[in-house]
Amino acid sequence: MNAGSVQLVRGFNDILPKETVSWRWLEGRVRHLLEGYGYQEIRLPLLEATELFARSIGASTDIVEKEMYTFDDKGGGSLSLRPEGTAGCVRAGITHGLFHQRAVQRLWYSGPMFRHERPQKGRYRQFHQMGAEAFGIEGPEIETEMLAMLARLWSSLGLQRISLKLNSLGTPASRERFRRDLVDYLGKEHDRLDADSQRRLHTNPLRILDSKDEGTQALLARAPQLSDYLDEESKSHFSELCSRLESLKIPFTVDPHLVRGLDYYTRTVFEWTTDALGAQDAICSGGRYDGLVEQLGGPQSPAIGWALGMERLLLLMEVERQIPQEEGPDVYCVLVGQVAERAGIRLSERLRDQVPGLRMILNMSQGSFRAQLRRADRSGAQFALIMGENEANAGVAAVKPLRAPAEQIETHWEDLPETLNRLIGSAEDQRQS
Ligand code: HAM
């Protein structure tokens, strides 16, 4: 590398043209699905007041304590790059009175999120989420519909190595009782906990349930269990959800140690994970957060949502060989000699008027017939439109199929729109069959 070149920031990625094809395709699929279920897009700022995240995600969570990109604004006050989308979405709903205007809101968003974590495969400092939030629905019918929507997404993407884990965290009051007993119990075993869990015992003890350390896991097996602390209403909400999922034949496992790393959750939490990507196995996660809207100054409004990590989903699609093939243009214009080149630009502009949606690349910087035809092939185009001086003077061009062993057809300029429409249409049909 050139010693003087400026480097990419660690944990940040460029998404190159060969990758944006699958990004755009996937974004389109998710958007289509969300809109099919009545979700409306909301676009939110990348920067928010730091306080928003401290008050929603929780001041003693890893995200807020260690991972945010935070700085002082020029005019004073602390700002942070958003580490996730839920807090901003709730803030926007309150700012614009959305929760007063309509009892039920279904919103979706997408874009970059920022967390200063240790980068590794599937974990980046700038990553991209697509997420959905539904406000104003109390019962488990919304959990059921959201999970059915996601199950539909995975199967439409051809994914198999993804499975659903569920848990209920109960109400803040029941969780607090559990937390106290857990801290009591683990406090007595302090020296046998791993170092991370020892630290969490005083900051965020529920996250100890997530620990991968075997010694800590052994202690947890004999520790108080969250499910024994659930209030009756949370219990019946959860069992109703489980039975609805069973009736829709959506497989899931109940994972009593699933607590999630954000404080705003109440009752249902879930994670879709994969065994195909190693440590960063969560593809899509979410849950219910019935208290957050009110806690941030809005009206009481039950809420639930999820976000999927685009990078991880694309990695999984690659492992499962479900990434769509990159498509070339419809036509590459091979223009040999100056006369043809000049006529070619006029002809091509006319064709763009006459054939809406035509994807066409003009050869630039001249080159021999053979060199241009090689470029046409490399571009991935379906057809070459070929013109030399003789053709240009006669007002004709040859259309040569590049992906099928068919003859080239000489066509008058005025017949080209019809010929191209027909050929492109049947090439498209063949690709899809
Ligand atoms: P989260 O679990 O923190 O939840 O993130 C959601 C998803 O974002 C994860 O399942 C993962 O796929 C992806 N993700 C998270 N961190 C990274 C990273 N450093 N690099 C790559 N991908 C990552 C939330 O963000 C909640 N706001 C979800 C939610 C919405 N809950 C309710 N509504």
Side-chain angles (χ1 to χ4, degrees), residues 325-391:
Q325 288 296 308
E326 192 179 335
E327 272 188 20
D330 302 314
V331 175
Y332 188 102
C333 292
V334 170
L335 306 167
V336 188
Q338 269 206 1
V339 175
E341 209 183 284
R342 287 168 146 258
I345 180 81
R346 286 199 310 276
L347 175 64
S348 70
E349 286 303 313
R350 217 164 59 218
L351 285 174
R352 290 185 203 279
D353 290 338
Q354 294 164 331
V355 185
L358 179 64
R359 296 172 311 145
M360 179 165 59
I361 292 180
L362 256 64
N363 185 73
M364 299 275 151
S365 313
Q366 293 155 10
S368 69
F369 173 70
R370 279 178 54 136
Q372 291 196 34
L373 211 56
R374 254 200 318 274
R375 290 177 202 154
D377 192 45
R378 272 206 304 263
S379 78
Q382 294 293 323
F383 301 96
L385 185 78
I386 303 169
M387 245 184 352
E389 188 168 339
N390 291 344
E391 288 85 357

Coordinates of all heavy atoms in Angstrom, one line a residue, residues 325-391:
Q325 N -27.3 -13.7 -8.4 CA -26.2 -13.4 -9.4 C -26.3 -12.0 -9.8 O -27.3 -11.4 -10.0 CB -26.4 -14.3 -10.7 CG -26.1 -15.7 -10.5 CD -24.7 -16.0 -10.1 OE1 -23.8 -15.5 -10.9 NE2 -24.4 -16.7 -9.1
E326 N -25.1 -11.4 -10.0 CA -25.0 -10.0 -10.5 C -25.5 -10.0 -11.9 O -25.1 -10.9 -12.7 CB -23.5 -9.6 -10.4 CG -23.3 -8.2 -10.6 CD -21.7 -7.9 -10.5 OE1 -21.0 -8.7 -9.9 OE2 -21.3 -6.9 -11.1
E327 N -26.2 -9.0 -12.3 CA -26.7 -8.9 -13.7 C -26.0 -7.8 -14.5 O -25.9 -6.7 -13.9 CB -28.2 -8.6 -13.6 CG -29.1 -9.9 -13.6 CD -30.5 -9.6 -13.7 OE1 -30.9 -8.5 -14.3 OE2 -31.3 -10.4 -13.3
G328 N -25.7 -8.1 -15.7 CA -25.1 -7.1 -16.5 C -26.2 -6.2 -17.2 O -27.3 -6.4 -16.9
P329 N -25.8 -5.3 -18.0 CA -26.7 -4.5 -18.7 C -27.5 -5.3 -19.8 O -27.1 -6.4 -20.1 CB -25.9 -3.4 -19.4 CG -24.5 -4.0 -19.5 CD -24.4 -5.0 -18.4
D330 N -28.5 -4.7 -20.4 CA -29.2 -5.4 -21.5 C -28.3 -5.4 -22.7 O -28.2 -6.4 -23.5 CB -30.5 -4.7 -21.8 CG -31.4 -4.7 -20.6 OD1 -31.6 -5.7 -19.9 OD2 -32.0 -3.6 -20.3
V331 N -27.7 -4.2 -23.0 CA -27.1 -3.9 -24.3 C -25.7 -3.3 -24.1 O -25.6 -2.4 -23.2 CB -28.0 -3.0 -25.2 CG1 -27.2 -2.7 -26.5 CG2 -29.3 -3.7 -25.4
Y332 N -24.7 -3.7 -24.8 CA -23.4 -3.0 -24.9 C -23.3 -2.5 -26.3 O -23.3 -3.4 -27.3 CB -22.3 -3.9 -24.5 CG -21.0 -3.2 -24.3 CD1 -20.5 -2.8 -23.1 CD2 -20.2 -2.9 -25.4 CE1 -19.2 -2.2 -22.9 CE2 -19.0 -2.2 -25.3 CZ -18.5 -1.9 -24.0 OH -17.3 -1.3 -23.9
C333 N -23.1 -1.2 -26.6 CA -22.9 -0.7 -27.9 C -21.5 -0.8 -28.4 O -20.6 -0.1 -27.8 CB -23.4 0.7 -28.1 SG -25.2 0.8 -27.8
V334 N -21.2 -1.6 -29.4 CA -19.9 -1.6 -30.0 C -19.9 -0.7 -31.2 O -20.7 -0.9 -32.2 CB -19.6 -3.1 -30.5 CG1 -18.4 -3.2 -31.3 CG2 -19.5 -4.0 -29.3
L335 N -19.1 0.4 -31.2 CA -19.1 1.4 -32.2 C -17.7 1.6 -32.8 O -16.8 2.2 -32.1 CB -19.6 2.7 -31.5 CG -20.9 2.6 -30.8 CD1 -21.2 3.9 -29.9 CD2 -22.1 2.4 -31.8
V336 N -17.5 1.1 -34.0 CA -16.2 1.1 -34.6 C -16.0 2.2 -35.5 O -16.7 2.3 -36.6 CB -15.9 -0.3 -35.3 CG1 -14.4 -0.4 -35.7 CG2 -16.2 -1.5 -34.4
G337 N -15.1 3.1 -35.2 CA -14.8 4.3 -36.1 C -15.6 5.5 -35.7 O -16.6 5.4 -35.0
Q338 N -15.1 6.7 -36.1 CA -15.7 7.9 -35.6 C -17.1 8.1 -36.1 O -17.9 8.7 -35.3 CB -14.8 9.1 -36.1 CG -13.8 9.4 -35.1 CD -13.3 10.8 -35.2 OE1 -13.8 11.6 -36.0 NE2 -12.4 11.2 -34.3
V339 N -17.4 7.7 -37.3 CA -18.7 8.0 -37.9 C -19.8 7.2 -37.0 O -20.8 7.7 -36.6 CB -18.8 7.5 -39.4 CG1 -20.2 7.6 -39.9 CG2 -17.8 8.3 -40.2
A340 N -19.4 5.9 -36.7 CA -20.3 5.1 -36.0 C -20.5 5.6 -34.5 O -21.5 5.6 -33.9 CB -19.8 3.6 -36.0
E341 N -19.3 6.1 -34.0 CA -19.3 6.6 -32.6 C -20.3 7.8 -32.5 O -21.1 7.9 -31.6 CB -17.9 7.0 -32.3 CG -17.6 6.9 -30.8 CD -16.2 7.5 -30.6 OE1 -15.2 6.7 -31.0 OE2 -16.1 8.6 -30.1
R342 N -20.2 8.7 -33.5 CA -21.1 9.9 -33.4 C -22.5 9.5 -33.6 O -23.4 10.0 -32.9 CB -20.6 10.9 -34.5 CG -19.4 11.6 -34.1 CD -18.8 12.4 -35.3 NE -18.1 13.5 -34.8 CZ -18.6 14.8 -34.8 NH1 -19.8 15.0 -35.4 NH2 -18.0 15.8 -34.3
A343 N -22.8 8.6 -34.6 CA -24.2 8.2 -34.8 C -24.7 7.4 -33.6 O -25.8 7.5 -33.2 CB -24.2 7.3 -36.1
G344 N -23.8 6.7 -33.0 CA -24.1 5.8 -31.8 C -24.7 6.6 -30.7 O -25.7 6.2 -30.0
I345 N -24.1 7.7 -30.3 CA -24.6 8.5 -29.2 C -26.0 9.0 -29.5 O -26.9 9.0 -28.6 CB -23.6 9.6 -28.7 CG1 -24.1 10.3 -27.5 CG2 -23.3 10.6 -29.8 CD1 -23.9 9.6 -26.2
R346 N -26.2 9.4 -30.7 CA -27.6 9.9 -31.1 C -28.6 8.8 -31.0 O -29.7 8.9 -30.4 CB -27.6 10.6 -32.5 CG -26.9 11.9 -32.5 CD -27.3 12.7 -33.8 NE -27.2 11.9 -35.0 CZ -26.0 11.8 -35.7 NH1 -24.9 12.4 -35.3 NH2 -26.0 11.0 -36.8
L347 N -28.2 7.7 -31.6 CA -29.1 6.5 -31.7 C -29.4 6.1 -30.2 O -30.6 5.8 -29.9 CB -28.4 5.4 -32.5 CG -29.2 4.1 -32.5 CD1 -30.6 4.3 -33.2 CD2 -28.4 3.0 -33.2
S348 N -28.4 6.0 -29.4 CA -28.6 5.5 -28.0 C -29.5 6.4 -27.2 O -30.4 5.9 -26.5 CB -27.3 5.3 -27.3 OG -26.7 6.5 -27.0
E349 N -29.4 7.7 -27.4 CA -30.3 8.6 -26.6 C -31.7 8.4 -27.1 O -32.7 8.4 -26.3 CB -29.8 10.0 -26.8 CG -28.6 10.4 -26.0 CD -28.7 10.1 -24.5 OE1 -29.8 10.5 -23.9 OE2 -27.8 9.5 -23.9
R350 N -31.9 8.2 -28.4 CA -33.2 7.9 -29.0 C -33.8 6.6 -28.4 O -35.0 6.5 -28.0 CB -33.2 7.9 -30.5 CG -34.5 8.6 -31.0 CD -34.4 8.9 -32.5 NE -34.1 7.8 -33.4 CZ -33.4 7.9 -34.4 NH1 -32.8 9.0 -34.8 NH2 -33.2 6.8 -35.2
L351 N -33.0 5.6 -28.4 CA -33.4 4.3 -27.8 C -33.8 4.4 -26.4 O -34.8 3.8 -25.9 CB -32.3 3.2 -28.0 CG -32.1 2.7 -29.4 CD1 -30.9 1.8 -29.4 CD2 -33.4 2.0 -29.9
R352 N -33.1 5.2 -25.6 CA -33.5 5.4 -24.2 C -34.9 6.0 -24.0 O -35.6 5.7 -23.1 CB -32.4 6.2 -23.4 CG -31.1 5.5 -23.3 CD -30.1 6.3 -22.4 NE -28.8 6.0 -22.7 CZ -28.1 5.0 -22.1 NH1 -28.7 4.2 -21.3 NH2 -26.8 4.7 -22.4
D353 N -35.2 6.9 -25.0 CA -36.6 7.5 -25.0 C -37.6 6.4 -25.3 O -38.7 6.4 -24.8 CB -36.7 8.6 -26.1 CG -35.9 9.8 -25.7 OD1 -35.6 10.0 -24.5 OD2 -35.6 10.6 -26.6
Q354 N -37.2 5.6 -26.3 CA -38.2 4.7 -26.8 C -38.4 3.3 -26.1 O -39.4 2.7 -26.2 CB -37.9 4.4 -28.3 CG -38.0 5.6 -29.2 CD -37.3 5.5 -30.5 OE1 -36.3 4.7 -30.6 NE2 -37.8 6.2 -31.5
V355 N -37.3 2.9 -25.4 CA -37.4 1.7 -24.6 C -37.2 2.0 -23.1 O -36.1 2.0 -22.7 CB -36.3 0.7 -25.1 CG1 -36.4 -0.7 -24.4 CG2 -36.3 0.5 -26.6
P356 N -38.3 2.3 -22.4 CA -38.1 2.7 -21.0 C -37.5 1.6 -20.2 O -37.7 0.4 -20.4 CB -39.6 2.9 -20.6 CG -40.4 3.0 -21.8 CD -39.7 2.2 -22.9
G357 N -36.6 2.0 -19.4 CA -35.9 1.0 -18.5 C -34.7 0.3 -19.1 O -34.1 -0.6 -18.5
L358 N -34.4 0.7 -20.4 CA -33.3 0.0 -21.1 C -32.0 0.2 -20.3 O -31.7 1.4 -20.0 CB -33.2 0.6 -22.5 CG -32.1 0.0 -23.4 CD1 -32.3 -1.5 -23.6 CD2 -32.0 0.8 -24.7
R359 N -31.3 -0.8 -20.1 CA -30.0 -0.7 -19.4 C -28.9 -0.9 -20.5 O -28.7 -2.0 -21.0 CB -29.8 -1.7 -18.3 CG -30.9 -1.5 -17.2 CD -30.9 -2.5 -16.2 NE -31.0 -3.8 -16.8 CZ -30.5 -4.9 -16.3 NH1 -29.8 -4.9 -15.2 NH2 -30.6 -6.1 -17.0
M360 N -28.2 0.2 -20.8 CA -27.3 0.1 -22.0 C -26.0 0.8 -21.7 O -26.0 1.9 -21.1 CB -28.0 0.8 -23.1 CG -27.3 0.9 -24.4 SD -28.4 1.3 -25.8 CE -29.0 2.8 -25.3
I361 N -24.9 0.2 -22.1 CA -23.6 0.9 -21.9 C -23.0 1.1 -23.3 O -23.0 0.2 -24.2 CB -22.6 -0.1 -21.1 CG1 -23.1 -0.2 -19.7 CG2 -21.2 0.5 -21.2 CD1 -22.3 -1.1 -18.8
L362 N -22.5 2.3 -23.5 CA -21.9 2.7 -24.8 C -20.4 2.4 -24.6 O -19.8 2.8 -23.6 CB -22.1 4.2 -25.1 CG -23.1 4.5 -26.1 CD1 -24.5 4.0 -25.7 CD2 -23.1 5.9 -26.5
N363 N -19.8 1.8 -25.6 CA -18.3 1.7 -25.6 C -17.7 3.1 -25.6 O -18.2 4.0 -26.3 CB -17.8 1.0 -26.8 CG -16.3 0.7 -26.8 OD1 -15.9 -0.1 -26.0 ND2 -15.6 1.5 -27.5
M364 N -16.7 3.3 -24.8 CA -16.0 4.6 -24.7 C -14.6 4.4 -25.1 O -14.0 3.3 -25.0 CB -16.1 5.2 -23.3 CG -17.5 5.5 -22.8 SD -18.1 7.1 -23.3 CE -19.8 6.8 -23.4
S365 N -13.9 5.5 -25.5 CA -12.4 5.4 -25.8 C -12.1 4.4 -26.9 O -11.1 3.8 -26.9 CB -11.6 5.1 -24.5 OG -12.0 5.8 -23.5
Q366 N -13.0 4.3 -27.9 CA -12.7 3.5 -29.1 C -12.3 2.1 -28.9 O -12.8 1.4 -28.0 CB -11.8 4.3 -30.0 CG -12.5 5.6 -30.5 CD -11.5 6.7 -30.9 OE1 -10.3 6.5 -31.0 NE2 -12.0 7.9 -31.2
G367 N -11.2 1.6 -29.7 CA -10.8 0.3 -29.6 C -11.2 -0.5 -30.9 O -12.2 -0.1 -31.5
S368 N -10.5 -1.6 -31.2 CA -10.8 -2.4 -32.4 C -12.1 -3.1 -32.1 O -12.6 -3.2 -31.0 CB -9.7 -3.4 -32.6 OG -9.8 -4.4 -31.6
F369 N -12.7 -3.6 -33.2 CA -13.9 -4.4 -33.1 C -13.8 -5.5 -32.1 O -14.6 -5.7 -31.2 CB -14.3 -5.0 -34.5 CG -15.5 -5.9 -34.5 CD1 -16.8 -5.4 -34.2 CD2 -15.3 -7.3 -34.7 CE1 -17.8 -6.3 -34.2 CE2 -16.4 -8.1 -34.7 CZ -17.7 -7.6 -34.4
R370 N -12.7 -6.3 -32.2 CA -12.5 -7.4 -31.3 C -12.4 -7.0 -29.8 O -12.9 -7.6 -28.9 CB -11.2 -8.2 -31.7 CG -11.5 -9.1 -32.8 CD -10.2 -9.8 -33.2 NE -9.7 -10.5 -32.0 CZ -9.2 -11.7 -32.0 NH1 -9.2 -12.4 -33.1 NH2 -8.7 -12.2 -30.9
A371 N -11.6 -5.9 -29.6 CA -11.4 -5.4 -28.3 C -12.8 -4.9 -27.7 O -13.1 -5.2 -26.5 CB -10.4 -4.2 -28.3
Q372 N -13.6 -4.3 -28.5 CA -14.9 -3.8 -28.0 C -15.8 -5.0 -27.7 O -16.5 -4.9 -26.7 CB -15.5 -2.9 -29.0 CG -14.8 -1.5 -29.2 CD -15.7 -0.5 -29.9 OE1 -16.9 -0.5 -29.8 NE2 -15.1 0.4 -30.7
L373 N -15.7 -6.0 -28.5 CA -16.6 -7.1 -28.3 C -16.2 -7.9 -27.0 O -17.0 -8.4 -26.3 CB -16.5 -8.1 -29.5 CG -17.8 -8.9 -29.8 CD1 -19.0 -8.0 -30.0 CD2 -17.6 -9.8 -31.0
R374 N -14.9 -7.9 -26.8 CA -14.4 -8.5 -25.5 C -15.0 -7.7 -24.3 O -15.4 -8.2 -23.3 CB -12.9 -8.5 -25.4 CG -12.3 -9.8 -25.7 CD -10.8 -9.9 -25.1 NE -10.0 -8.8 -25.4 CZ -9.3 -8.6 -26.6 NH1 -9.3 -9.5 -27.5 NH2 -8.5 -7.5 -26.7
R375 N -14.9 -6.3 -24.4 CA -15.5 -5.5 -23.3 C -17.0 -5.8 -23.2 O -17.5 -5.8 -22.0 CB -15.3 -4.0 -23.6 CG -13.9 -3.6 -23.6 CD -13.8 -2.1 -23.9 NE -12.4 -1.7 -24.4 CZ -12.1 -0.7 -25.2 NH1 -13.1 0.1 -25.7 NH2 -10.9 -0.5 -25.5
A376 N -17.7 -5.9 -24.3 CA -19.1 -6.2 -24.2 C -19.4 -7.5 -23.5 O -20.2 -7.6 -22.6 CB -19.7 -6.4 -25.6
D377 N -18.5 -8.5 -23.7 CA -18.7 -9.8 -23.1 C -18.4 -9.7 -21.6 O -19.2 -10.1 -20.7 CB -17.7 -10.8 -23.7 CG -18.1 -12.2 -23.2 OD1 -19.3 -12.5 -23.2 OD2 -17.1 -12.9 -22.8
R378 N -17.3 -9.0 -21.2 CA -17.0 -8.8 -19.8 C -18.0 -8.0 -19.1 O -18.2 -8.1 -17.9 CB -15.6 -8.1 -19.7 CG -14.4 -9.1 -19.7 CD -13.3 -8.5 -19.0 NE -12.9 -7.2 -19.6 CZ -11.9 -7.0 -20.5 NH1 -11.2 -8.1 -20.9 NH2 -11.7 -5.8 -21.0
S379 N -18.7 -7.1 -19.7 CA -19.7 -6.3 -19.0 C -20.9 -7.1 -18.6 O -21.7 -6.7 -17.8 CB -20.3 -5.2 -20.0 OG -21.2 -5.7 -20.9
G380 N -21.0 -8.4 -19.1 CA -22.2 -9.2 -18.7 C -23.4 -8.9 -19.5 O -24.5 -9.4 -19.2
A381 N -23.3 -8.0 -20.5 CA -24.5 -7.7 -21.3 C -25.1 -8.9 -22.0 O -24.4 -9.8 -22.4 CB -24.1 -6.6 -22.3
Q382 N -26.4 -8.8 -22.2 CA -27.1 -9.8 -22.9 C -26.9 -9.7 -24.4 O -26.8 -10.7 -25.1 CB -28.7 -9.7 -22.7 CG -29.1 -10.0 -21.3 CD -28.9 -11.5 -20.9 OE1 -29.0 -12.4 -21.7 NE2 -28.4 -11.7 -19.7
F383 N -26.8 -8.5 -24.9 CA -26.7 -8.3 -26.4 C -25.6 -7.2 -26.7 O -25.5 -6.3 -25.9 CB -28.0 -7.8 -27.0 CG -29.2 -8.8 -26.7 CD1 -30.0 -8.6 -25.6 CD2 -29.3 -9.9 -27.6 CE1 -31.0 -9.5 -25.4 CE2 -30.4 -10.8 -27.3 CZ -31.2 -10.6 -26.3
A384 N -25.0 -7.4 -27.8 CA -24.1 -6.3 -28.3 C -24.9 -5.7 -29.5 O -25.5 -6.4 -30.3 CB -22.8 -6.9 -28.8
L385 N -24.9 -4.3 -29.5 CA -25.4 -3.6 -30.6 C -24.2 -3.1 -31.4 O -23.5 -2.3 -30.9 CB -26.3 -2.4 -30.1 CG -27.0 -1.6 -31.2 CD1 -28.3 -2.4 -31.6 CD2 -27.5 -0.3 -30.6
I386 N -24.1 -3.6 -32.6 CA -22.8 -3.4 -33.3 C -23.0 -2.5 -34.5 O -23.9 -2.7 -35.4 CB -22.2 -4.7 -33.8 CG1 -22.0 -5.7 -32.6 CG2 -20.9 -4.5 -34.5 CD1 -21.7 -7.1 -33.0
M387 N -22.1 -1.4 -34.6 CA -22.2 -0.5 -35.8 C -20.8 -0.1 -36.2 O -20.0 0.3 -35.3 CB -22.9 0.8 -35.4 CG -24.2 0.9 -36.1 SD -25.2 2.4 -35.8 CE -24.5 3.3 -34.5
G388 N -20.5 -0.3 -37.5 CA -19.3 0.3 -38.1 C -19.7 1.4 -39.0 O -20.9 1.8 -39.0
E389 N -18.7 1.9 -39.8 CA -19.0 3.1 -40.7 C -20.1 2.7 -41.7 O -21.1 3.5 -41.9 CB -17.8 3.6 -41.4 CG -18.0 4.9 -42.1 CD -16.7 5.5 -42.6 OE1 -15.6 5.1 -42.0 OE2 -16.7 6.3 -43.5
N390 N -20.0 1.6 -42.3 CA -21.0 1.2 -43.3 C -22.4 1.1 -42.8 O -23.3 1.6 -43.4 CB -20.7 -0.2 -43.9 CG -19.4 -0.1 -44.8 OD1 -19.0 1.0 -45.1 ND2 -18.8 -1.3 -45.0
E391 N -22.5 0.5 -41.6 CA -23.9 0.3 -41.0 C -24.4 1.7 -40.6 O -25.6 2.0 -40.9 CB -23.8 -0.5 -39.7 CG -23.6 -2.0 -39.9 CD -22.2 -2.4 -40.1 OE1 -21.3 -1.5 -40.0 OE2 -21.9 -3.6 -40.2

